[in-house]
Amino acid sequence: MTTNPAVSISSLTKSYGSKQVLRGLDLKVPAGGVLALLGPNGAGKTTTVEILQGLRRRDGGAVTVLGEDPQRSSRAWRARIGVVSQASTDMGDLTVGEAVAHVARFYTDPADVAATIERVGLADDAATRASRLSGGRRRRLDVALAIIGRPELLFLDEPTTGFDPEARREFWGLVEDLSADGTTVLLTTHYLDEAAHLADDVAIVLGGRIAARGTPEDLARGEGELTVSWTEDGVGRSLRTTAPTAVVRGLMSRLAGPGEEVPGLRITAPSLEERYLELVAAHEAAARTAALAPAA
């Protein structure tokens, strides 16, 4: 595996008219891993991904994707990336086999068509028209079309929106297989459990910058706080603390009954979703405060 990052972004800026969307965003995506890019609508993640794919020009900053600037990308560079966008309805009149074979002709060294169809779990639907596939199976076809060229970097944009739980789990397994084979995956999703399950790293975009970056576990852990919950006087109570042992010791001395059990005692770690929502709420509160502040 190469030691160079698959994606490198430095001081990236982008505005639409008077609205500044990206404000000096910095990000590196290691080769061979899965990075989830999270953020609320309007945070700048979609613009960032479009710049990385060469679909939108940046205003400032430096960007390299697989060693090249997407704004000056070659056809050979484009063959090294795969893209699964949010929704696709093209090639609906073609069968699964015809669609994959058609796209394969655009590459000099494509993967085997039948093997790719089997890899994404569509062997039984090879003769089915794309327009007749369910949402989840159409998504699998989208992945087949994206990986038939053996991409080094795969963009997945909200890949499981609208999936039922079983279809989501099956799709996660496919992404894990691709990552295990060395494909770098950049995932955007609004499902925090999806990011926690699939991603080696998570980057949260707020206000056009990376507000937090780390493994799902590290981001969820935050400052090391845990939540201690218990029942007292028939009322559920909880406390966020970095010293849960001391809290439990105090509860035991005050509340422990027969068997030295504290009623309803639980110690839980925060989830990635909880930390994400905290960061978003803090950012929005800061933005409201700044908007109300008098001009200097």
Side-chain angles (χ1 to χ4, degrees), residues 136-174:
R137 298 188 78 75
R138 171 66 215 216
R139 224 49 187 137
R140 289 177 175 271
L141 174 57
D142 293 338
V143 174
L145 299 177
I147 67 174
I148 189 65
R150 306 177 193 269
E152 299 171 44
L153 172 62
L154 180 64
F155 292 93
L156 297 176
D157 188 9
E158 305 289 345
T160 62
T161 298
F163 278 25
D164 61 48
E166 183 180 3
R168 288 181 70 210
R169 290 285 176 173
E170 290 177 353
F171 192 88
W172 291 358
L174 175 57

PDB file of all heavy atoms in Angstrom, residues 136-174:
ATOM      1  N   GLY A 136     -32.655  -1.302  -3.414  1.00  0.00           N
ATOM      2  CA  GLY A 136     -31.405  -1.845  -2.892  1.00  0.00           C
ATOM      3  C   GLY A 136     -30.591  -2.550  -3.954  1.00  0.00           C
ATOM      4  O   GLY A 136     -29.363  -2.423  -4.004  1.00  0.00           O
ATOM      5  N   ARG A 137     -31.257  -3.281  -4.850  1.00  0.00           N
ATOM      6  CA  ARG A 137     -30.528  -4.002  -5.889  1.00  0.00           C
ATOM      7  C   ARG A 137     -30.063  -3.051  -6.987  1.00  0.00           C
ATOM      8  O   ARG A 137     -29.010  -3.266  -7.597  1.00  0.00           O
ATOM      9  CB  ARG A 137     -31.377  -5.141  -6.429  1.00  0.00           C
ATOM     10  CG  ARG A 137     -31.709  -6.158  -5.344  1.00  0.00           C
ATOM     11  CD  ARG A 137     -32.368  -7.398  -5.842  1.00  0.00           C
ATOM     12  NE  ARG A 137     -31.443  -8.342  -6.453  1.00  0.00           N
ATOM     13  CZ  ARG A 137     -30.591  -9.109  -5.782  1.00  0.00           C
ATOM     14  NH1 ARG A 137     -30.508  -9.018  -4.468  1.00  0.00           N
ATOM     15  NH2 ARG A 137     -29.815  -9.963  -6.418  1.00  0.00           N
ATOM     16  N   ARG A 138     -30.798  -1.982  -7.233  1.00  0.00           N
ATOM     17  CA  ARG A 138     -30.308  -0.967  -8.170  1.00  0.00           C
ATOM     18  C   ARG A 138     -29.038  -0.323  -7.621  1.00  0.00           C
ATOM     19  O   ARG A 138     -28.115  -0.001  -8.368  1.00  0.00           O
ATOM     20  CB  ARG A 138     -31.393   0.092  -8.383  1.00  0.00           C
ATOM     21  CG  ARG A 138     -30.916   1.309  -9.176  1.00  0.00           C
ATOM     22  CD  ARG A 138     -30.560   0.970 -10.615  1.00  0.00           C
ATOM     23  NE  ARG A 138     -29.440   1.740 -11.110  1.00  0.00           N
ATOM     24  CZ  ARG A 138     -29.336   2.184 -12.361  1.00  0.00           C
ATOM     25  NH1 ARG A 138     -30.285   1.950 -13.240  1.00  0.00           N
ATOM     26  NH2 ARG A 138     -28.265   2.851 -12.733  1.00  0.00           N
ATOM     27  N   ARG A 139     -28.985  -0.170  -6.306  1.00  0.00           N
ATOM     28  CA  ARG A 139     -27.791   0.394  -5.676  1.00  0.00           C
ATOM     29  C   ARG A 139     -26.597  -0.536  -5.893  1.00  0.00           C
ATOM     30  O   ARG A 139     -25.477  -0.089  -6.089  1.00  0.00           O
ATOM     31  CB  ARG A 139     -28.066   0.544  -4.188  1.00  0.00           C
ATOM     32  CG  ARG A 139     -27.634   1.810  -3.536  1.00  0.00           C
ATOM     33  CD  ARG A 139     -28.047   3.025  -4.267  1.00  0.00           C
ATOM     34  NE  ARG A 139     -27.437   4.189  -3.622  1.00  0.00           N
ATOM     35  CZ  ARG A 139     -26.895   5.186  -4.275  1.00  0.00           C
ATOM     36  NH1 ARG A 139     -26.864   5.181  -5.580  1.00  0.00           N
ATOM     37  NH2 ARG A 139     -26.376   6.203  -3.648  1.00  0.00           N
ATOM     38  N   ARG A 140     -26.840  -1.839  -5.832  1.00  0.00           N
ATOM     39  CA  ARG A 140     -25.771  -2.797  -6.093  1.00  0.00           C
ATOM     40  C   ARG A 140     -25.289  -2.688  -7.539  1.00  0.00           C
ATOM     41  O   ARG A 140     -24.087  -2.814  -7.803  1.00  0.00           O
ATOM     42  CB  ARG A 140     -26.266  -4.217  -5.796  1.00  0.00           C
ATOM     43  CG  ARG A 140     -26.449  -4.496  -4.321  1.00  0.00           C
ATOM     44  CD  ARG A 140     -26.997  -5.886  -4.073  1.00  0.00           C
ATOM     45  NE  ARG A 140     -27.045  -6.167  -2.652  1.00  0.00           N
ATOM     46  CZ  ARG A 140     -26.042  -6.703  -1.963  1.00  0.00           C
ATOM     47  NH1 ARG A 140     -24.914  -7.013  -2.579  1.00  0.00           N
ATOM     48  NH2 ARG A 140     -26.155  -6.922  -0.672  1.00  0.00           N
ATOM     49  N   LEU A 141     -26.217  -2.453  -8.458  1.00  0.00           N
ATOM     50  CA  LEU A 141     -25.809  -2.244  -9.847  1.00  0.00           C
ATOM     51  C   LEU A 141     -24.958  -0.991  -9.971  1.00  0.00           C
ATOM     52  O   LEU A 141     -23.954  -0.978 -10.691  1.00  0.00           O
ATOM     53  CB  LEU A 141     -27.046  -2.141 -10.748  1.00  0.00           C
ATOM     54  CG  LEU A 141     -26.771  -1.774 -12.213  1.00  0.00           C
ATOM     55  CD1 LEU A 141     -25.820  -2.766 -12.870  1.00  0.00           C
ATOM     56  CD2 LEU A 141     -28.079  -1.683 -12.996  1.00  0.00           C
ATOM     57  N   ASP A 142     -25.332   0.068  -9.264  1.00  0.00           N
ATOM     58  CA  ASP A 142     -24.530   1.297  -9.290  1.00  0.00           C
ATOM     59  C   ASP A 142     -23.096   1.028  -8.841  1.00  0.00           C
ATOM     60  O   ASP A 142     -22.138   1.567  -9.396  1.00  0.00           O
ATOM     61  CB  ASP A 142     -25.159   2.359  -8.389  1.00  0.00           C
ATOM     62  CG  ASP A 142     -26.499   2.852  -8.914  1.00  0.00           C
ATOM     63  OD1 ASP A 142     -26.757   2.707 -10.126  1.00  0.00           O
ATOM     64  OD2 ASP A 142     -27.288   3.381  -8.113  1.00  0.00           O
ATOM     65  N   VAL A 143     -22.959   0.195  -7.811  1.00  0.00           N
ATOM     66  CA  VAL A 143     -21.613  -0.149  -7.336  1.00  0.00           C
ATOM     67  C   VAL A 143     -20.874  -0.967  -8.394  1.00  0.00           C
ATOM     68  O   VAL A 143     -19.687  -0.747  -8.648  1.00  0.00           O
ATOM     69  CB  VAL A 143     -21.677  -0.913  -5.997  1.00  0.00           C
ATOM     70  CG1 VAL A 143     -20.292  -1.392  -5.586  1.00  0.00           C
ATOM     71  CG2 VAL A 143     -22.274  -0.034  -4.919  1.00  0.00           C
ATOM     72  N   ALA A 144     -21.555  -1.901  -9.013  1.00  0.00           N
ATOM     73  CA  ALA A 144     -20.918  -2.701 -10.070  1.00  0.00           C
ATOM     74  C   ALA A 144     -20.395  -1.801 -11.183  1.00  0.00           C
ATOM     75  O   ALA A 144     -19.275  -1.988 -11.689  1.00  0.00           O
ATOM     76  CB  ALA A 144     -21.907  -3.724 -10.626  1.00  0.00           C
ATOM     77  N   LEU A 145     -21.198  -0.814 -11.587  1.00  0.00           N
ATOM     78  CA  LEU A 145     -20.780   0.119 -12.642  1.00  0.00           C
ATOM     79  C   LEU A 145     -19.586   0.961 -12.184  1.00  0.00           C
ATOM     80  O   LEU A 145     -18.735   1.339 -12.995  1.00  0.00           O
ATOM     81  CB  LEU A 145     -21.950   1.031 -13.024  1.00  0.00           C
ATOM     82  CG  LEU A 145     -23.199   0.329 -13.570  1.00  0.00           C
ATOM     83  CD1 LEU A 145     -24.300   1.349 -13.835  1.00  0.00           C
ATOM     84  CD2 LEU A 145     -22.886  -0.457 -14.828  1.00  0.00           C
ATOM     85  N   ALA A 146     -19.533   1.242 -10.871  1.00  0.00           N
ATOM     86  CA  ALA A 146     -18.449   2.079 -10.342  1.00  0.00           C
ATOM     87  C   ALA A 146     -17.151   1.307 -10.185  1.00  0.00           C
ATOM     88  O   ALA A 146     -16.065   1.899 -10.236  1.00  0.00           O
ATOM     89  CB  ALA A 146     -18.863   2.684  -9.004  1.00  0.00           C
ATOM     90  N   ILE A 147     -17.223  -0.021  -9.981  1.00  0.00           N
ATOM     91  CA  ILE A 147     -15.998  -0.775  -9.710  1.00  0.00           C
ATOM     92  C   ILE A 147     -15.534  -1.618 -10.886  1.00  0.00           C
ATOM     93  O   ILE A 147     -14.470  -2.242 -10.795  1.00  0.00           O
ATOM     94  CB  ILE A 147     -16.162  -1.680  -8.468  1.00  0.00           C
ATOM     95  CG1 ILE A 147     -17.180  -2.802  -8.718  1.00  0.00           C
ATOM     96  CG2 ILE A 147     -16.537  -0.844  -7.253  1.00  0.00           C
ATOM     97  CD1 ILE A 147     -17.274  -3.813  -7.589  1.00  0.00           C
ATOM     98  N   ILE A 148     -16.271  -1.631 -11.984  1.00  0.00           N
ATOM     99  CA  ILE A 148     -15.878  -2.466 -13.125  1.00  0.00           C
ATOM    100  C   ILE A 148     -14.534  -2.028 -13.689  1.00  0.00           C
ATOM    101  O   ILE A 148     -13.799  -2.825 -14.270  1.00  0.00           O
ATOM    102  CB  ILE A 148     -16.973  -2.445 -14.224  1.00  0.00           C
ATOM    103  CG1 ILE A 148     -16.681  -3.479 -15.314  1.00  0.00           C
ATOM    104  CG2 ILE A 148     -17.134  -1.053 -14.811  1.00  0.00           C
ATOM    105  CD1 ILE A 148     -16.725  -4.905 -14.852  1.00  0.00           C
ATOM    106  N   GLY A 149     -14.184  -0.757 -13.499  1.00  0.00           N
ATOM    107  CA  GLY A 149     -12.896  -0.258 -13.979  1.00  0.00           C
ATOM    108  C   GLY A 149     -11.754  -0.438 -12.995  1.00  0.00           C
ATOM    109  O   GLY A 149     -10.675   0.117 -13.195  1.00  0.00           O
ATOM    110  N   ARG A 150     -11.971  -1.203 -11.938  1.00  0.00           N
ATOM    111  CA  ARG A 150     -10.976  -1.446 -10.887  1.00  0.00           C
ATOM    112  C   ARG A 150     -10.481  -0.128 -10.259  1.00  0.00           C
ATOM    113  O   ARG A 150      -9.276   0.160 -10.245  1.00  0.00           O
ATOM    114  CB  ARG A 150      -9.760  -2.209 -11.437  1.00  0.00           C
ATOM    115  CG  ARG A 150     -10.065  -3.511 -12.147  1.00  0.00           C
ATOM    116  CD  ARG A 150      -8.776  -4.105 -12.684  1.00  0.00           C
ATOM    117  NE  ARG A 150      -8.979  -5.185 -13.619  1.00  0.00           N
ATOM    118  CZ  ARG A 150      -9.046  -6.469 -13.295  1.00  0.00           C
ATOM    119  NH1 ARG A 150      -8.928  -6.824 -12.041  1.00  0.00           N
ATOM    120  NH2 ARG A 150      -9.226  -7.387 -14.214  1.00  0.00           N
ATOM    121  N   PRO A 151     -11.361   0.701  -9.718  1.00  0.00           N
ATOM    122  CA  PRO A 151     -10.922   2.006  -9.197  1.00  0.00           C
ATOM    123  C   PRO A 151     -10.057   1.866  -7.956  1.00  0.00           C
ATOM    124  O   PRO A 151     -10.231   0.955  -7.154  1.00  0.00           O
ATOM    125  CB  PRO A 151     -12.244   2.702  -8.861  1.00  0.00           C
ATOM    126  CG  PRO A 151     -13.170   1.580  -8.536  1.00  0.00           C
ATOM    127  CD  PRO A 151     -12.800   0.481  -9.496  1.00  0.00           C
ATOM    128  N   GLU A 152      -9.145   2.802  -7.813  1.00  0.00           N
ATOM    129  CA  GLU A 152      -8.341   2.882  -6.595  1.00  0.00           C
ATOM    130  C   GLU A 152      -9.085   3.646  -5.501  1.00  0.00           C
ATOM    131  O   GLU A 152      -8.815   3.444  -4.307  1.00  0.00           O
ATOM    132  CB  GLU A 152      -7.021   3.589  -6.898  1.00  0.00           C
ATOM    133  CG  GLU A 152      -6.160   2.874  -7.926  1.00  0.00           C
ATOM    134  CD  GLU A 152      -4.975   3.716  -8.348  1.00  0.00           C
ATOM    135  OE1 GLU A 152      -4.331   4.325  -7.477  1.00  0.00           O
ATOM    136  OE2 GLU A 152      -4.711   3.786  -9.567  1.00  0.00           O
ATOM    137  N   LEU A 153      -9.985   4.533  -5.917  1.00  0.00           N
ATOM    138  CA  LEU A 153     -10.732   5.374  -4.981  1.00  0.00           C
ATOM    139  C   LEU A 153     -12.200   5.340  -5.373  1.00  0.00           C
ATOM    140  O   LEU A 153     -12.556   5.578  -6.530  1.00  0.00           O
ATOM    141  CB  LEU A 153     -10.213   6.816  -5.029  1.00  0.00           C
ATOM    142  CG  LEU A 153     -11.000   7.883  -4.266  1.00  0.00           C
ATOM    143  CD1 LEU A 153     -11.031   7.583  -2.772  1.00  0.00           C
ATOM    144  CD2 LEU A 153     -10.398   9.273  -4.524  1.00  0.00           C
ATOM    145  N   LEU A 154     -13.057   5.037  -4.401  1.00  0.00           N
ATOM    146  CA  LEU A 154     -14.492   4.930  -4.641  1.00  0.00           C
ATOM    147  C   LEU A 154     -15.225   5.959  -3.787  1.00  0.00           C
ATOM    148  O   LEU A 154     -15.064   5.999  -2.571  1.00  0.00           O
ATOM    149  CB  LEU A 154     -14.979   3.522  -4.287  1.00  0.00           C
ATOM    150  CG  LEU A 154     -16.472   3.228  -4.477  1.00  0.00           C
ATOM    151  CD1 LEU A 154     -16.862   3.335  -5.944  1.00  0.00           C
ATOM    152  CD2 LEU A 154     -16.804   1.830  -3.934  1.00  0.00           C
ATOM    153  N   PHE A 155     -16.035   6.801  -4.444  1.00  0.00           N
ATOM    154  CA  PHE A 155     -16.881   7.769  -3.756  1.00  0.00           C
ATOM    155  C   PHE A 155     -18.278   7.174  -3.593  1.00  0.00           C
ATOM    156  O   PHE A 155     -18.901   6.771  -4.577  1.00  0.00           O
ATOM    157  CB  PHE A 155     -16.991   9.073  -4.558  1.00  0.00           C
ATOM    158  CG  PHE A 155     -15.717   9.861  -4.643  1.00  0.00           C
ATOM    159  CD1 PHE A 155     -14.855   9.696  -5.717  1.00  0.00           C
ATOM    160  CD2 PHE A 155     -15.387  10.787  -3.671  1.00  0.00           C
ATOM    161  CE1 PHE A 155     -13.682  10.429  -5.808  1.00  0.00           C
ATOM    162  CE2 PHE A 155     -14.225  11.533  -3.749  1.00  0.00           C
ATOM    163  CZ  PHE A 155     -13.365  11.350  -4.824  1.00  0.00           C
ATOM    164  N   LEU A 156     -18.771   7.147  -2.364  1.00  0.00           N
ATOM    165  CA  LEU A 156     -20.123   6.660  -2.079  1.00  0.00           C
ATOM    166  C   LEU A 156     -20.917   7.804  -1.456  1.00  0.00           C
ATOM    167  O   LEU A 156     -20.632   8.228  -0.336  1.00  0.00           O
ATOM    168  CB  LEU A 156     -20.090   5.471  -1.118  1.00  0.00           C
ATOM    169  CG  LEU A 156     -19.389   4.201  -1.600  1.00  0.00           C
ATOM    170  CD1 LEU A 156     -19.374   3.162  -0.481  1.00  0.00           C
ATOM    171  CD2 LEU A 156     -20.088   3.639  -2.828  1.00  0.00           C
ATOM    172  N   ASP A 157     -21.905   8.313  -2.178  1.00  0.00           N
ATOM    173  CA  ASP A 157     -22.673   9.463  -1.728  1.00  0.00           C
ATOM    174  C   ASP A 157     -24.049   8.999  -1.252  1.00  0.00           C
ATOM    175  O   ASP A 157     -24.900   8.629  -2.061  1.00  0.00           O
ATOM    176  CB  ASP A 157     -22.814  10.465  -2.879  1.00  0.00           C
ATOM    177  CG  ASP A 157     -23.428  11.785  -2.433  1.00  0.00           C
ATOM    178  OD1 ASP A 157     -23.582  11.988  -1.216  1.00  0.00           O
ATOM    179  OD2 ASP A 157     -23.748  12.614  -3.308  1.00  0.00           O
ATOM    180  N   GLU A 158     -24.241   8.997   0.076  1.00  0.00           N
ATOM    181  CA  GLU A 158     -25.506   8.563   0.674  1.00  0.00           C
ATOM    182  C   GLU A 158     -25.953   7.225   0.078  1.00  0.00           C
ATOM    183  O   GLU A 158     -27.075   7.099  -0.446  1.00  0.00           O
ATOM    184  CB  GLU A 158     -26.594   9.621   0.452  1.00  0.00           C
ATOM    185  CG  GLU A 158     -26.242  11.007   0.931  1.00  0.00           C
ATOM    186  CD  GLU A 158     -26.199  11.133   2.448  1.00  0.00           C
ATOM    187  OE1 GLU A 158     -26.717  10.222   3.132  1.00  0.00           O
ATOM    188  OE2 GLU A 158     -25.640  12.111   2.940  1.00  0.00           O
ATOM    189  N   PRO A 159     -25.120   6.190   0.137  1.00  0.00           N
ATOM    190  CA  PRO A 159     -25.388   4.978  -0.643  1.00  0.00           C
ATOM    191  C   PRO A 159     -26.585   4.159  -0.181  1.00  0.00           C
ATOM    192  O   PRO A 159     -27.138   3.396  -0.969  1.00  0.00           O
ATOM    193  CB  PRO A 159     -24.098   4.173  -0.484  1.00  0.00           C
ATOM    194  CG  PRO A 159     -23.528   4.623   0.815  1.00  0.00           C
ATOM    195  CD  PRO A 159     -23.861   6.087   0.904  1.00  0.00           C
ATOM    196  N   THR A 160     -27.005   4.287   1.081  1.00  0.00           N
ATOM    197  CA  THR A 160     -28.074   3.401   1.565  1.00  0.00           C
ATOM    198  C   THR A 160     -29.358   4.150   1.921  1.00  0.00           C
ATOM    199  O   THR A 160     -30.202   3.619   2.636  1.00  0.00           O
ATOM    200  CB  THR A 160     -27.597   2.599   2.794  1.00  0.00           C
ATOM    201  OG1 THR A 160     -27.269   3.511   3.858  1.00  0.00           O
ATOM    202  CG2 THR A 160     -26.399   1.750   2.464  1.00  0.00           C
ATOM    203  N   THR A 161     -29.498   5.367   1.417  1.00  0.00           N
ATOM    204  CA  THR A 161     -30.730   6.105   1.669  1.00  0.00           C
ATOM    205  C   THR A 161     -31.930   5.328   1.134  1.00  0.00           C
ATOM    206  O   THR A 161     -31.949   4.896  -0.013  1.00  0.00           O
ATOM    207  CB  THR A 161     -30.677   7.486   0.995  1.00  0.00           C
ATOM    208  OG1 THR A 161     -29.599   8.236   1.557  1.00  0.00           O
ATOM    209  CG2 THR A 161     -31.976   8.247   1.205  1.00  0.00           C
ATOM    210  N   GLY A 162     -32.929   5.122   1.989  1.00  0.00           N
ATOM    211  CA  GLY A 162     -34.120   4.405   1.580  1.00  0.00           C
ATOM    212  C   GLY A 162     -34.040   2.898   1.707  1.00  0.00           C
ATOM    213  O   GLY A 162     -35.006   2.199   1.396  1.00  0.00           O
ATOM    214  N   PHE A 163     -32.902   2.379   2.156  1.00  0.00           N
ATOM    215  CA  PHE A 163     -32.758   0.932   2.309  1.00  0.00           C
ATOM    216  C   PHE A 163     -33.481   0.461   3.570  1.00  0.00           C
ATOM    217  O   PHE A 163     -33.542   1.167   4.572  1.00  0.00           O
ATOM    218  CB  PHE A 163     -31.283   0.558   2.456  1.00  0.00           C
ATOM    219  CG  PHE A 163     -30.533   0.454   1.159  1.00  0.00           C
ATOM    220  CD1 PHE A 163     -30.944   1.140   0.039  1.00  0.00           C
ATOM    221  CD2 PHE A 163     -29.407  -0.323   1.069  1.00  0.00           C
ATOM    222  CE1 PHE A 163     -30.244   1.057  -1.149  1.00  0.00           C
ATOM    223  CE2 PHE A 163     -28.689  -0.423  -0.105  1.00  0.00           C
ATOM    224  CZ  PHE A 163     -29.115   0.264  -1.228  1.00  0.00           C
ATOM    225  N   ASP A 164     -33.968  -0.782   3.534  1.00  0.00           N
ATOM    226  CA  ASP A 164     -34.443  -1.394   4.763  1.00  0.00           C
ATOM    227  C   ASP A 164     -33.223  -1.913   5.530  1.00  0.00           C
ATOM    228  O   ASP A 164     -32.120  -1.999   4.978  1.00  0.00           O
ATOM    229  CB  ASP A 164     -35.452  -2.512   4.479  1.00  0.00           C
ATOM    230  CG  ASP A 164     -34.874  -3.649   3.644  1.00  0.00           C
ATOM    231  OD1 ASP A 164     -33.764  -4.140   3.969  1.00  0.00           O
ATOM    232  OD2 ASP A 164     -35.528  -4.068   2.671  1.00  0.00           O
ATOM    233  N   PRO A 165     -33.382  -2.242   6.827  1.00  0.00           N
ATOM    234  CA  PRO A 165     -32.217  -2.638   7.633  1.00  0.00           C
ATOM    235  C   PRO A 165     -31.429  -3.804   7.049  1.00  0.00           C
ATOM    236  O   PRO A 165     -30.197  -3.806   7.090  1.00  0.00           O
ATOM    237  CB  PRO A 165     -32.836  -3.002   8.982  1.00  0.00           C
ATOM    238  CG  PRO A 165     -34.071  -2.160   9.048  1.00  0.00           C
ATOM    239  CD  PRO A 165     -34.597  -2.107   7.654  1.00  0.00           C
ATOM    240  N   GLU A 166     -32.117  -4.800   6.495  1.00  0.00           N
ATOM    241  CA  GLU A 166     -31.403  -5.952   5.938  1.00  0.00           C
ATOM    242  C   GLU A 166     -30.574  -5.560   4.731  1.00  0.00           C
ATOM    243  O   GLU A 166     -29.413  -5.969   4.592  1.00  0.00           O
ATOM    244  CB  GLU A 166     -32.395  -7.046   5.556  1.00  0.00           C
ATOM    245  CG  GLU A 166     -31.729  -8.310   5.026  1.00  0.00           C
ATOM    246  CD  GLU A 166     -32.727  -9.379   4.655  1.00  0.00           C
ATOM    247  OE1 GLU A 166     -33.943  -9.136   4.758  1.00  0.00           O
ATOM    248  OE2 GLU A 166     -32.283 -10.482   4.257  1.00  0.00           O
ATOM    249  N   ALA A 167     -31.153  -4.730   3.843  1.00  0.00           N
ATOM    250  CA  ALA A 167     -30.424  -4.295   2.652  1.00  0.00           C
ATOM    251  C   ALA A 167     -29.223  -3.441   3.035  1.00  0.00           C
ATOM    252  O   ALA A 167     -28.157  -3.528   2.401  1.00  0.00           O
ATOM    253  CB  ALA A 167     -31.356  -3.513   1.726  1.00  0.00           C
ATOM    254  N   ARG A 168     -29.369  -2.626   4.073  1.00  0.00           N
ATOM    255  CA  ARG A 168     -28.244  -1.798   4.520  1.00  0.00           C
ATOM    256  C   ARG A 168     -27.093  -2.671   4.998  1.00  0.00           C
ATOM    257  O   ARG A 168     -25.928  -2.436   4.649  1.00  0.00           O
ATOM    258  CB  ARG A 168     -28.675  -0.858   5.648  1.00  0.00           C
ATOM    259  CG  ARG A 168     -29.566   0.286   5.212  1.00  0.00           C
ATOM    260  CD  ARG A 168     -29.929   1.169   6.393  1.00  0.00           C
ATOM    261  NE  ARG A 168     -28.778   1.915   6.854  1.00  0.00           N
ATOM    262  CZ  ARG A 168     -28.598   2.294   8.116  1.00  0.00           C
ATOM    263  NH1 ARG A 168     -29.463   1.960   9.047  1.00  0.00           N
ATOM    264  NH2 ARG A 168     -27.535   2.988   8.453  1.00  0.00           N
ATOM    265  N   ARG A 169     -27.406  -3.688   5.795  1.00  0.00           N
ATOM    266  CA  ARG A 169     -26.363  -4.579   6.313  1.00  0.00           C
ATOM    267  C   ARG A 169     -25.656  -5.315   5.179  1.00  0.00           C
ATOM    268  O   ARG A 169     -24.444  -5.497   5.206  1.00  0.00           O
ATOM    269  CB  ARG A 169     -26.980  -5.575   7.296  1.00  0.00           C
ATOM    270  CG  ARG A 169     -27.426  -4.944   8.599  1.00  0.00           C
ATOM    271  CD  ARG A 169     -26.245  -4.620   9.500  1.00  0.00           C
ATOM    272  NE  ARG A 169     -26.658  -3.929  10.709  1.00  0.00           N
ATOM    273  CZ  ARG A 169     -25.845  -3.646  11.724  1.00  0.00           C
ATOM    274  NH1 ARG A 169     -24.572  -4.002  11.631  1.00  0.00           N
ATOM    275  NH2 ARG A 169     -26.282  -3.001  12.778  1.00  0.00           N
ATOM    276  N   GLU A 170     -26.429  -5.742   4.189  1.00  0.00           N
ATOM    277  CA  GLU A 170     -25.820  -6.420   3.048  1.00  0.00           C
ATOM    278  C   GLU A 170     -24.896  -5.469   2.285  1.00  0.00           C
ATOM    279  O   GLU A 170     -23.800  -5.857   1.858  1.00  0.00           O
ATOM    280  CB  GLU A 170     -26.909  -6.959   2.121  1.00  0.00           C
ATOM    281  CG  GLU A 170     -27.700  -8.122   2.707  1.00  0.00           C
ATOM    282  CD  GLU A 170     -28.811  -8.571   1.791  1.00  0.00           C
ATOM    283  OE1 GLU A 170     -29.053  -7.890   0.766  1.00  0.00           O
ATOM    284  OE2 GLU A 170     -29.451  -9.603   2.095  1.00  0.00           O
ATOM    285  N   PHE A 171     -25.311  -4.233   2.132  1.00  0.00           N
ATOM    286  CA  PHE A 171     -24.483  -3.258   1.431  1.00  0.00           C
ATOM    287  C   PHE A 171     -23.215  -2.958   2.217  1.00  0.00           C
ATOM    288  O   PHE A 171     -22.132  -2.809   1.642  1.00  0.00           O
ATOM    289  CB  PHE A 171     -25.272  -1.966   1.188  1.00  0.00           C
ATOM    290  CG  PHE A 171     -24.616  -1.021   0.228  1.00  0.00           C
ATOM    291  CD1 PHE A 171     -24.847  -1.115  -1.128  1.00  0.00           C
ATOM    292  CD2 PHE A 171     -23.741  -0.040   0.682  1.00  0.00           C
ATOM    293  CE1 PHE A 171     -24.237  -0.251  -2.013  1.00  0.00           C
ATOM    294  CE2 PHE A 171     -23.120   0.822  -0.194  1.00  0.00           C
ATOM    295  CZ  PHE A 171     -23.372   0.716  -1.548  1.00  0.00           C
ATOM    296  N   TRP A 172     -23.339  -2.880   3.531  1.00  0.00           N
ATOM    297  CA  TRP A 172     -22.149  -2.663   4.357  1.00  0.00           C
ATOM    298  C   TRP A 172     -21.124  -3.764   4.130  1.00  0.00           C
ATOM    299  O   TRP A 172     -19.918  -3.498   4.058  1.00  0.00           O
ATOM    300  CB  TRP A 172     -22.533  -2.613   5.830  1.00  0.00           C
ATOM    301  CG  TRP A 172     -23.330  -1.426   6.238  1.00  0.00           C
ATOM    302  CD1 TRP A 172     -23.711  -0.376   5.444  1.00  0.00           C
ATOM    303  CD2 TRP A 172     -23.874  -1.166   7.534  1.00  0.00           C
ATOM    304  NE1 TRP A 172     -24.450   0.524   6.171  1.00  0.00           N
ATOM    305  CE2 TRP A 172     -24.565   0.071   7.453  1.00  0.00           C
ATOM    306  CE3 TRP A 172     -23.846  -1.850   8.744  1.00  0.00           C
ATOM    307  CZ2 TRP A 172     -25.221   0.629   8.555  1.00  0.00           C
ATOM    308  CZ3 TRP A 172     -24.497  -1.307   9.840  1.00  0.00           C
ATOM    309  CH2 TRP A 172     -25.169  -0.077   9.739  1.00  0.00           C
ATOM    310  N   GLY A 173     -21.590  -4.997   4.027  1.00  0.00           N
ATOM    311  CA  GLY A 173     -20.672  -6.102   3.779  1.00  0.00           C
ATOM    312  C   GLY A 173     -19.930  -5.941   2.466  1.00  0.00           C
ATOM    313  O   GLY A 173     -18.736  -6.254   2.377  1.00  0.00           O
ATOM    314  N   LEU A 174     -20.607  -5.435   1.449  1.00  0.00           N
ATOM    315  CA  LEU A 174     -19.970  -5.200   0.162  1.00  0.00           C
ATOM    316  C   LEU A 174     -18.877  -4.140   0.285  1.00  0.00           C
ATOM    317  O   LEU A 174     -17.766  -4.295  -0.248  1.00  0.00           O
ATOM    318  CB  LEU A 174     -21.019  -4.768  -0.864  1.00  0.00           C
ATOM    319  CG  LEU A 174     -20.518  -4.354  -2.245  1.00  0.00           C
ATOM    320  CD1 LEU A 174     -19.720  -5.472  -2.897  1.00  0.00           C
ATOM    321  CD2 LEU A 174     -21.697  -3.945  -3.126  1.00  0.00           C
TER     322      LEU A 174
END
